[in-house]
Amino acid sequence: LMSFLLFAPRARDVLTVGLGGGSLPKFLHRFVPGIRTRVVEIDADVIAVARSHFLLPDDDDRLEVIQGD
C-alpha cells in the first residue's frame, strides 16, 4: 500500500477512499510528516470505531477524515 512513495517520493497530498481500521492514515500521520492525508468514508460508525478502538488521531492540519460518498 505504501509503494506509491517509490514513484512519488515528494508526494504532499494523499486521498484514501474507505477508512477501515485507519492503518494507512495512521502510518502516514506518524511517519511521513510531509504528507497531508484526506480520507473519505461513507459510514460514520466506521469512523467512530477507528477513533475509539484503533487510535486514529483527531483531524488536524495533516489529517482530515470526511464522511461522504
Side-chain angles (χ1 to χ4, degrees), residues 16-38:
T16 304
V17 178
L19 178 62
S23 298
L24 185 61
K26 281 189 335 186
F27 178 88
L28 291 171
H29 193 264
R30 183 169 184 179
F31 296 109
V32 191
I35 290 182
R36 180 166 192 253
T37 306
R38 288 186 187 102

Side-chain angles (χ1 to χ4, degrees), residues 9-56:
R10 294 186 205 124
R12 295 285 180 233
D13 292 293
V14 171
L15 172 67
T16 304
V17 178
L19 178 62
S23 298
L24 185 61
K26 281 189 335 186
F27 178 88
L28 291 171
H29 193 264
R30 183 169 184 179
F31 296 109
V32 191
I35 290 182
R36 180 166 192 253
T37 306
R38 288 186 187 102
V39 181
V40 179
E41 171 58 52
I42 194 169
D43 191 343
D45 292 334
V46 171
I47 298 169
V49 168
R51 294 213 193 270
S52 65
H53 289 77
F54 297 105
L55 305 176
L56 180 69

